Amino acid sequence: MSVTAQSLLDPAVLAKIQGLELRARKIVEGYVAGMHRSPFHGFSIEFAEHREYTPGDDLRYLDWKVFGKTDRFYLKQFEEETNLICYLLLDTSESMRYRGPDAAMTKLEYAECLAASLAYLVLRQQDSVGLVTFDSETRQVVRPSGNPAHLKQLLHVMESTVAERKTRTGPIFHDLAERFRHRGVVIIFSDLFDDVDAMLAGLKHFRHRRHEVMVVHLLDRAELELPFERVTLFKGLEELPDVLTDPRSLRKAYCKELDAFLKQVAGGCRAQQADYHLVPTDQPFDVALRTLLTRR
Amino acid sequence: MLAFGFGNLAMLGWLAAAAVPLLIHLWNRRKHREAPWAAVDFLLAAIRKNARRMQFEQWLLLAVRTLIILLVVLAVAEPYMQNLGGLVTPYRPTHKVFVLDGSYSMAYSQTDETLFERARHTIADIVDAGRSGDAYSLVLVGEPSRAIVQTPARSPADFLDELDGLEQPHGGGDIVAALVLAEDAIGRAEDGPAPLAQHEVFIVSDLQRVSWQSEQSGRTQAQLTERLERLASRAAVIVLDVGQENASNAAVVDLSVQQPFLTVRSAATFTAVIRNFGGQERPQTVVQFEVDGQPTESRRVNLPADGSISVSFTYTFEEPGSHTATVRLARDFLTVDDARHVALNVKDRLRVLLVAGKWGSTTYIAHALNPNPSNEGTVETKTVSDIALAETELNGFDCVFLANVAQFTSGERRMLERYTRRGGGLVFFLGDQVMPEVYNEVLGPRAAGDSLEAQGDSALEPRQDELSLLPAKIGELVSGPAATLDPLDYRHPIVAPFRGRENAGLLSTPVYHYYRLQIPEGRPGAEVALAVGDGDPAIVTVPVQRGRCVLVATAGSLASVDAATGQPWTAWPAWPSFLPIVREIVNFAVTGSHNRWNAVVGEPISMPVEIGAPSLLEVVRPTGGTDTLRVEDTGDGPAWNYAGTELSGIYRVVAPAGRDDARSFAVNVDAVESDLVRADPAVLPAQVSLRSTWHEMQTQNVGDLVGEQRLHRWLLTGALGLMLTDTLLAWWFGRRAT
């Protein structure tokens, strides 16, 4: 990975680049430059034929017996292998609009960059990707498609998003679980400032529909650490009340409360066999992508 | 009433600053920053669970910070408490005795305020800082020292009124006498109807060396130290130094008339001694000579550093009567001693009374004084017998000769004593009628107060000096072959004119009989002018009060003879040396007559008046103010006495309108005070604390000296402890919160 590409993966640098498409491309280019294989693969398991290995293919599908006989690398191709369908669920509630004093992007901007990058990656390997934006309701739905031109539509939807309402993840996840006909990977980008139990119930519904679920929990560094030193009037987003307090005297208690919340979410996700990733918005994108895709 | 108060009450206004932490807290809440926040639920949950802890911490910090300010402000206000070590006891009011230096060096002024005024303001400051129940006494150091407020004043306002009305005298300063008065005031405070047991003595002075380190008026350094130590055993003694370092001064330290007596149309020579007490030469200093207040001559002189010069002026008076002459320097920072005055009585002729104890006893003396009675010489004589002495009014005479008077009565002694007190000159010639034991008893040493009216001296310790009208005790009669006279190197003014004139007959004068004169040991001022025989005194002189006495051991006439042989006691009256000797004796004796019109500050002036004269006179003081003077019968005839000579200058005693017999008196400062060199603070005993200003005294804890406990150190220590506590608490709370 070149130095230039590396630096471009820093949210602070990337925030200076206008346009989600360009941002996504830079992220992916920077990420792919250091990637050895494609992270996504299909779901079919019936073998059909071999094809010659090309760099980037998943080594899990290498046919070692053929290699033993022919001394050449071949991949096993599976019958009825369908394209991967990736559902990107983007929380566009008001709380996602938050950006801490030292952050380069809002949580929503960061989530959009990540989502766009993943969409770009998926489309590059001729898989399908769809997008749903939601807050208290489902706002926009872009059906999955593998057409490279589909990316433009995804990006357009993301860029036109307005974050100004409350979150209600539970009912929405139930609704979407019913609407996603094909099995796929459901990736949720949200700060999850909502009813945790309802949210987990929604995840359970996804799993019931045999989707793979990945939760990308986005939080600003300020939300994690409450770094303020002066008496501050915290103006509640999503119709929450304003709170005037001295954050110094409350930091430890706040962090304790937040930690309990994070543990509850992480534990709940594990219970639902969903991948859970806490991603601070000051984290470089390559690190975030690697974290998200390593397990895949 | 509690024994609690504040040294600096005004500082308590800063207690309002205790509200500052609260205001800062409110201001911080008002000036908060704003931030949008998504994770409000967690904040609310944290607040809900920690509200009580946070509130407690905030109140605790607020209380600590408020307390810090309160303690600091209280410390600055200098609180004190009596007997802090025990329980709070009832307040013990303090008796403050102020000993104010009124010597004229305190008139020094480099600014628009004299040292005396500065001292007065300092006292007023201390009184203002006093507390309810305190009492105040005031002693003025002077000559004599006086108790201005002797009975402790409970009302500060009344005390300050007395202080404000105080006029700076021009005299010296008897510190020891003032300390005695201060101790007396302490005694009064302790014995009064509401006794005060706690005392502070403030001595406010310029610490001039002449007052504090030299012997003065018989006071010694040891006496001063003893007095201070004695005072310090009963009170806290604080010397407040209001003096000026490196002060320089020039003064007219003496002004004298060369002639022993002045007559009209005779030139009078005035000699002034001007001294520069500074280390810098004063070139071209203007010296002005004034007669009767009118400038007559002015000169410029160069005053050497730390040196003196003499300047002489000559003036001829055309009119007889009372006159004054003044020598005045250009003004400097101490103006009191820049002028010196002399009052004179210019006569048409000198009047001498001759008292003859025996017929012919004064014949030769009369001839010597006025050889040609038909011509009007400068001396006019009148002869009376000793029997008529008691009825003779001496005030009209400048000198009295008493020749061969057998004895004196007590009344005559009083008469002669009064005469010398007014500056008259007495000359005793002995003779064959003299009863030496009576002379010694009646005219000899006697306590001054025995036969005199009030002296006007310090009322504290009347001096026990014994007044003798005789310069020497008259011993046995010495008879023998002719003894000759020894002029003793012509040192004495009476015989000084004979120097170089050995043929004038003095050395060959025969004396056959004379009384052996014995000068008592320690008799101040007694001098032998001429010796006889084997060195026995022939003429002894002594100053007596303002006058002078001359005692001649032998006779002044040929009328005194040896009863056995008929031989005269001495051939001196017929000898060539007799006339000049008598003239010189007169000159010497009447020199004291000038003293009659001249006094030093604090010395009363007095004068007999004729019977039938007005009983009320008026004294015009140097400042222009007037005092009424009452003529009183002193037992020796009507006379007035005026003791209010605390200022230097010319005092004029005038009769009611229509009578033109004004009389001028000159009152001068004692030049000793003109030397402004300051005392070494080491002369003060260890028990006495020295402070340069009242403020310094306040800051250096006068309370420690009087058993008061000043609390400000404790308060500051507490404030410091609270600051540390605040830091620790803030650190601890912060650590717990983060």
Side-chain angles (χ1 to χ4, degrees):
Chain A
M1 193 182 297
S2 68
V3 174
T4 308
Q6 176 76 59
S7 61
L8 277 171
L9 297 174
D10 186 339
V13 177
L14 210 62
K16 296 173 184 168
I17 297 174
Q18 294 296 316
L20 191 54
E21 181 180 1
L22 196 55
R23 286 182 185 177
R25 186 171 297 149
K26 294 287 181 190
I27 292 168
V28 172
E29 282 172 1
Y31 174 69
V32 168
M35 193 170 68
H36 298 288
R37 59 182 175 85
S38 175
F40 294 104
H41 56 86
F43 287 93
S44 179
I45 56 168
E46 292 181 25
F47 177 77
E49 59 180 355
H50 285 98
R51 73 169 171 84
E52 200 166 359
Y53 169 80
T54 56
D57 285 343
D58 191 340
L59 293 177
R60 285 181 297 177
Y61 301 108
L62 263 181
D63 194 329
W64 296 103
K65 289 178 181 173
V66 174
F67 173 71
K69 291 174 183 173
T70 63
D71 207 20
R72 297 179 66 175
F73 292 112
Y74 283 95
L75 292 182
K76 286 187 278 188
Q77 296 283 297
F78 294 91
E79 194 177 352
E80 288 186 6
E81 182 182 20
T82 59
N83 284 343
L84 167 76
I85 299 177
C86 182
Y87 299 101
L88 302 174
L89 271 58
L90 186 59
D91 181 357
T92 60
S93 65
E94 191 182 12
S95 64
M96 289 293 284
R97 208 174 63 190
Y98 179 74
R99 187 178 74 181
D102 298 323
M105 293 178 172
T106 66
K107 289 184 282 186
L108 182 57
E109 287 170 336
Y110 192 92
E112 286 172 349
C113 286
L114 269 184
S117 304
L118 288 174
Y120 190 65
L121 276 173
V122 170
L123 289 173
R124 259 174 57 128
Q125 60 181 33
Q126 287 86 42
D127 288 326
S128 298
V129 61
L131 173 68
V132 176
T133 63
F134 67 93
D135 41 46
S136 56
E137 295 174 12
T138 305
R139 292 296 165 193
Q140 305 244 26
V141 177
V142 180
R143 291 185 175 281
S145 168
N147 188 341
H150 183 60
L151 182 65
K152 295 277 185 189
Q153 191 185 356
L154 295 178
L155 298 180
H156 173 71
V157 168
M158 283 192 269
E159 283 177 329
S160 61
T161 303
V162 178
E164 57 187 13
R165 292 186 178 82
K166 281 174 65 72
T167 317
R168 285 179 63 232
T169 53
I172 288 170
F173 289 174
H174 284 298
D175 179 44
L176 292 175
E178 290 297 325
R179 288 169 66 176
F180 293 160
R181 304 277 175 101
H182 300 283
R183 287 175 59 205
V185 179
V186 176
I187 307 176
I188 301 165
F189 300 92
S190 174
D191 56 13
L192 301 178
F193 288 160
D194 192 13
D195 183 350
V196 176
D197 292 334
M199 185 274 292
L200 291 175
L203 293 187
K204 188 176 181 181
H205 199 164
F206 278 127
R207 288 296 300 159
H208 181 72
R209 302 289 293 185
R210 301 181 64 196
H211 293 293
E212 285 192 29
V213 178
M214 180 188 296
V215 175
V216 181
H217 193 179
L218 294 158
L219 286 176
D220 193 282
R221 181 62 64 187
E223 290 174 326
L224 287 167
E225 296 177 355
L226 196 70
F228 308 104
E229 294 297 326
R230 286 173 49 195
V231 173
T232 304
L233 177 64
F234 293 97
K235 298 183 79 71
L237 300 173
E238 298 189 23
E239 300 174 16
L240 286 167
D242 296 347
V243 177
L244 178 63
T245 190
D246 181 0
R248 285 172 302 185
S249 61
L250 211 57
R251 188 169 298 139
K252 193 170 182 180
Y254 168 85
C255 291
K256 194 174 172 185
E257 292 292 323
L258 185 68
D259 196 43
F261 165 72
L262 295 178
K263 280 180 178 168
Q264 185 187 7
V265 172
C269 288
R270 272 198 302 277
Q272 302 304 326
Q273 295 178 320
D275 286 346
Y276 171 80
H277 301 286
L278 174 63
V279 179
T281 58
D282 59 349
Q283 191 173 75
F285 283 102
D286 61 328
V287 177
L289 281 176
R290 189 176 299 122
T291 307
L292 296 180
L293 301 179
T294 297
R295 294 188 193 173
R296 302 212 56 82
Chain B
M1 192 185 305
L2 294 178
F4 188 81
F6 293 92
N8 198 347
L9 205 60
M11 293 307 294
L12 289 182
W14 285 97
L15 281 177
V20 168
L22 183 63
L23 293 175
I24 289 176
H25 176 73
L26 295 174
W27 185 77
N28 269 340
R29 291 186 74 83
R30 187 180 168 81
K31 297 295 288 183
H32 58 258
R33 54 169 292 176
E34 290 187 358
W37 194 250
V40 171
D41 283 340
F42 309 117
L43 269 183
L44 288 172
I47 290 172
R48 203 163 43 244
K49 292 179 182 172
N50 293 276
R52 294 184 66 168
R53 175 186 64 83
M54 287 169 57
Q55 206 167 27
F56 171 74
E57 289 174 358
Q58 283 183 351
W59 278 111
L60 188 59
L61 285 176
L62 190 65
V64 167
R65 288 164 188 174
T66 304
L67 203 54
I68 288 171
I69 294 178
L70 284 176
L71 292 183
V72 170
V73 172
L74 286 174
V76 173
E78 297 178 18
Y80 53 77
M81 184 179 280
Q82 304 279 345
N83 300 324
L84 192 64
L87 296 174
V88 174
T89 58
Y91 175 60
R92 294 168 66 201
T94 305
H95 173 220
K96 297 175 192 287
V97 184
F98 298 100
V99 179
L100 172 57
D101 188 348
S103 61
Y104 77 75
S105 61
M106 291 284 285
Y108 186 87
S109 167
Q110 259 187 1
T111 61
D112 56 351
E113 183 184 57
T114 66
L115 300 184
F116 187 77
E117 287 163 344
R118 189 189 296 177
R120 218 160 41 177
H121 291 154
T122 301
I123 292 174
D125 286 346
I126 298 173
V127 173
D128 286 341
R131 300 182 296 284
S132 177
D134 287 350
Y136 308 95
S137 295
L138 179 61
V139 174
L140 182 68
V141 180
E143 276 185 328
S145 295
R146 289 182 291 145
I148 305 298
V149 180
Q150 196 168 22
T151 303
R154 302 275 179 172
S155 162
D158 292 347
F159 179 84
L160 291 176
D161 281 347
E162 285 284 346
L163 185 69
D164 287 342
L166 212 53
E167 195 174 26
Q168 157 139 45
H170 290 177
D174 189 346
I175 300 273
V176 174
L179 296 182
V180 173
L181 286 171
E183 200 173 339
D184 180 58
I186 288 174
R188 285 171 183 265
E190 288 176 346
D191 299 336
L196 294 165
Q198 188 156 285
H199 311 277
E200 294 171 14
V201 177
F202 299 90
I203 305 171
V204 193
S205 170
D206 60 356
L207 281 183
Q208 193 190 11
R209 188 168 66 186
V210 71
S211 300
W212 288 84
Q213 259 184 301
S214 64
E215 293 190 2
Q216 188 187 28
S217 305
R219 315 296 190 190
T220 64
Q221 185 65 49
Q223 280 180 298
L224 177 63
T225 304
E226 181 199 336
R227 273 290 161 193
L228 283 171
E229 287 174 348
R230 199 166 142 177
L231 208 54
S233 68
R234 300 182 68 179
V237 181
I238 304 109
V239 174
L240 282 172
D241 179 11
V242 294
Q244 181 82 37
E245 291 289 349
N246 303 319
S248 65
N249 182 36
V252 184
V253 297
D254 188 41
L255 177 59
S256 59
V257 193
Q258 191 174 319
Q259 288 72 22
F261 57 90
L262 298 179
T263 54
V264 291
R265 291 177 292 282
S266 300
T269 305
F270 297 86
T271 302
V273 179
I274 300 165
R275 180 163 176 78
N276 180 7
F277 292 96
Q280 300 282 327
E281 186 190 10
R282 293 181 180 228
Q284 297 297 299
T285 302
V286 176
V287 181
Q288 186 169 282
F289 180 65
E290 301 168 5
V291 174
D292 294 330
Q294 299 301 317
T296 61
E297 193 176 346
S298 180
R299 291 193 203 157
R300 289 183 182 274
V301 297
N302 294 328
L303 289 179
D306 288 320
S308 306
I309 61 163
S310 294
V311 185
S312 293
F313 300 91
T314 303
Y315 189 80
T316 302
F317 291 94
E318 298 295 336
E319 296 292 331
S322 180
H323 295 276
T324 61
T326 299
V327 170
R328 194 182 298 278
L329 279 181
R331 290 170 64 93
D332 59 11
F333 292 132
L334 183 59
T335 57
V336 174
D337 57 8
D338 289 341
R340 203 161 188 90
H341 320 272
V342 62
L344 312 151
N345 191 27
V346 179
K347 299 172 174 293
D348 284 322
R349 303 174 75 191
L350 190 71
R351 298 194 70 212
V352 176
L353 177 68
L354 306 176
V355 181
K358 183 179 180 182
W359 186 87
S361 299
T362 58
T363 307
Y364 290 89
I365 298 171
H367 280 295
L369 292 173
N370 189 7
N372 189 357
S374 60
N375 291 339
E376 282 199 359
T378 56
V379 179
E380 175 190 350
T381 59
K382 179 183 178 183
T383 303
V384 297
S385 73
D386 58 345
I387 299 169
L389 173 62
E391 288 81 40
T392 306
E393 175 55 66
L394 300 184
N395 287 328
F397 296 96
D398 299 294
C399 185
V400 177
F401 277 71
L402 301 125
N404 201 13
V405 175
Q407 58 182 325
F408 295 92
T409 64
S410 294
E412 288 167 337
R413 163 169 173 134
R414 278 200 300 275
M415 200 175 156
L416 295 175
E417 193 177 308
R418 198 164 53 244
Y419 180 65
T420 57
R421 193 162 67 247
R422 291 165 186 167
L426 293 178
V427 182
F428 295 92
F429 273 93
L430 303 182
D432 56 1
Q433 292 203 133
V434 167
M435 301 166 72
E437 60 281 3
V438 178
Y439 267 61
N440 291 333
E441 184 184 342
V442 177
L443 303 181
R446 185 176 296 184
D450 283 359
S451 59
L452 300 178
E453 52 269 34
Q455 290 288 299
D457 203 340
S458 166
L460 300 166
E461 292 181 3
R463 294 188 207 152
Q464 296 304 313
D465 299 347
E466 292 183 326
L467 180 71
S468 171
L469 294 179
L470 294 176
K473 185 180 177 187
I474 302 172
E476 76 275 14
L477 183 66
V478 179
S479 302
T484 53
L485 300 175
D486 177 1
L488 301 173
D489 292 334
Y490 306 102
R491 288 192 298 267
H492 198 279
I494 291 177
V495 294
F498 288 91
R499 184 188 295 278
R501 296 184 176 88
E502 283 73 19
N503 297 326
L506 184 66
L507 303 181
S508 59
T509 305
V511 179
Y512 307 104
H513 298 278
Y514 64 91
Y515 280 104
R516 180 163 286 140
L517 304 181
Q518 299 155 350
I519 300 174
E521 194 173 341
R523 176 74 200 264
E527 289 181 282
V528 179
L530 194 64
V532 63
D534 296 332
D536 293 325
I539 299 178
V540 184
T541 65
V542 74
V544 176
Q545 305 191 94
R546 289 181 188 167
R548 286 177 170 178
C549 286
V550 180
L551 176 59
V552 183
T554 188
S557 72
L558 301 178
S560 286
V561 296
D562 185 344
T565 63
Q567 184 188 31
W569 275 31
T570 174
W572 199 5
W575 221 253
S577 62
F578 189 70
L579 184 142
I581 277 287
V582 170
R583 291 260 177 153
E584 291 305 324
I585 286 175
V586 169
N587 285 347
F588 180 80
V590 300
T591 301
S593 67
H594 292 314
N595 298 341
R596 187 171 180 180
W597 320 111
N598 296 277
V600 292
V601 169
E603 187 180 10
I605 52 178
S606 61
M607 204 175 120
V609 296
E610 296 170 10
I611 295 172
S615 60
L616 284 180
L617 300 169
E618 199 170 59
V619 178
V620 182
R621 292 166 59 82
T623 53
T626 57
D627 282 340
T628 300
L629 203 56
R630 187 176 296 278
V631 174
E632 291 174 342
D633 190 356
T634 61
D636 297 321
W640 56 258
N641 185 73
Y642 181 67
T645 56
E646 70 275 7
L647 300 182
S648 62
I650 303 295
Y651 290 73
R652 285 173 56 78
V653 178
V654 295
R659 292 180 61 111
D660 186 20
D661 50 359
R663 177 72 64 186
S664 296
F665 293 81
V667 175
N668 288 298
V669 297
D670 184 347
V672 174
E673 276 279 327
S674 295
D675 187 356
L676 300 180
V677 175
R678 284 156 57 76
D680 180 0
V683 302
L684 297 175
Q687 300 95 318
V688 174
S689 64
L690 176 66
R691 301 285 185 269
S692 63
T693 61
W694 161 233
H695 176 72
E696 184 200 339
M697 194 191 74
Q698 278 190 312
T699 54
Q700 293 199 6
N701 270 343
V702 66
D704 292 345
L705 302 167
V706 295
E708 270 181 8
Q709 294 292 332
R710 294 275 170 172
L711 305 180
H712 66 268
R713 286 181 186 155
W714 295 102
L715 293 173
L716 286 176
T717 306
L720 189 63
L722 283 177
M723 284 180 198
L724 290 172
T725 306
D726 177 66
T727 306
L728 284 173
L729 283 177
W731 171 77
W732 172 249
F733 293 158
R735 187 167 168 267
R736 283 182 55 186
T738 55

